[in-house]
Amino acid sequence: MSIRFTAKARRGMVALTVAAGLALGVAGCGGGGGDDKKPQTSTSPSKNGGSQPSAQEGQSDEPMAELKGPNGLVLDITSAARDTGGFVTVSGNLKNDSGRLLTIPAQLSGNETEIIRNGRSFGGATLVDAKGRKRYYVLRDTDGRPLTTTGVSSLKSGETVPVFMQFPAPPADTDQVSFQLPMFAPADISISG
């Protein structure tokens, strides 16, 4: 029992060290300036590890992009905000425009084993910075859980749920990216902040 606990504790510390190093590395890539223009509200998962849909703050009534998905699913992107911690939080509303109950496709979770084993999520989402020639994947916590809305398995006809996804922030001078989600049409969005 003692050996198992020590091994688990050691793995946990290694994971925590790697995550902290990555966070510092991402924060250091900002290139200086620009982040102190105006404070942004950070949208992040709750402290208890869950990330159920919740009301999003600071969203406009008019979406910045509308992505059409399969069977009448529509994702309206309402904000893409650069947080002071070196992250970009993309928020929006997933709605069922069909006349029937829809099961959320498993493909939205992506195809990475670590993310899939944590249940339904939007872990397959990416941001593409064409100028910097980089693709940014959804962030994960130290337990491998994606920093996105989780647990949405179906939507009734006409139902809408708020969703979010967090990514590493592109360089400060990059404010245009392409948002991509499996099975949905991509859309160009602007990062604020």
Side-chain angles (χ1 to χ4, degrees):
M1 179 90 167
S2 170
I3 293 172
R4 179 185 287 173
F5 175 77
T6 303
K8 278 187 172 181
R10 194 173 308 139
R11 280 194 307 263
M13 287 304 295
V14 168
L16 182 60
T17 303
V18 169
L22 287 173
L24 287 173
V26 169
C29 292
D35 285 348
D36 56 344
K37 288 182 184 171
K38 69 178 183 181
Q40 296 291 321
T41 302
S42 175
T43 305
S44 60
S46 63
K47 300 273 189 250
N48 65 7
S51 52
Q52 296 300 317
S54 63
Q56 304 294 322
E57 294 180 20
Q59 293 182 359
S60 66
D61 291 338
E62 194 65 33
M64 66 169 57
E66 182 179 84
L67 290 74
K68 302 273 187 190
N71 304 318
L73 283 175
V74 176
L75 177 61
D76 287 335
I77 304 287
T78 55
S79 70
R82 190 182 301 269
D83 299 328
T84 56
F87 309 107
V88 168
T89 302
V90 175
S91 301
N93 296 300
L94 182 67
K95 61 183 175 180
N96 177 353
D97 272 352
S98 78
R100 59 189 165 81
L101 176 73
L102 289 180
T103 300
I104 304 302
Q107 290 91 329
L108 301 188
S109 296
N111 58 8
E112 294 182 45
T113 306
E114 187 174 37
I115 289 179
I116 292 171
R117 81 167 162 238
N118 284 295
R120 299 270 178 144
S121 72
F122 295 84
T126 58
L127 294 180
V128 177
D129 172 10
K131 183 171 79 171
R133 299 173 62 134
K134 287 190 176 181
R135 179 181 299 268
Y136 296 90
Y137 294 88
V138 167
L139 291 167
R140 300 177 204 165
D141 67 14
T142 55
D143 293 325
R145 292 184 299 255
L147 298 182
T148 73
T149 301
T150 59
V152 180
S153 58
S154 64
L155 288 177
K156 298 174 190 167
S157 176
E159 185 178 9
T160 300
V161 294
V163 297
F164 78 93
M165 291 138 275
Q166 284 190 323
F167 303 89
D173 63 344
T174 300
D175 60 358
Q176 295 289 318
V177 292
S178 175
F179 175 83
Q180 300 178 357
L181 184 65
M183 304 184 76
F184 282 74
D188 292 332
I189 60 173
S190 298
I191 300 173
S192 64

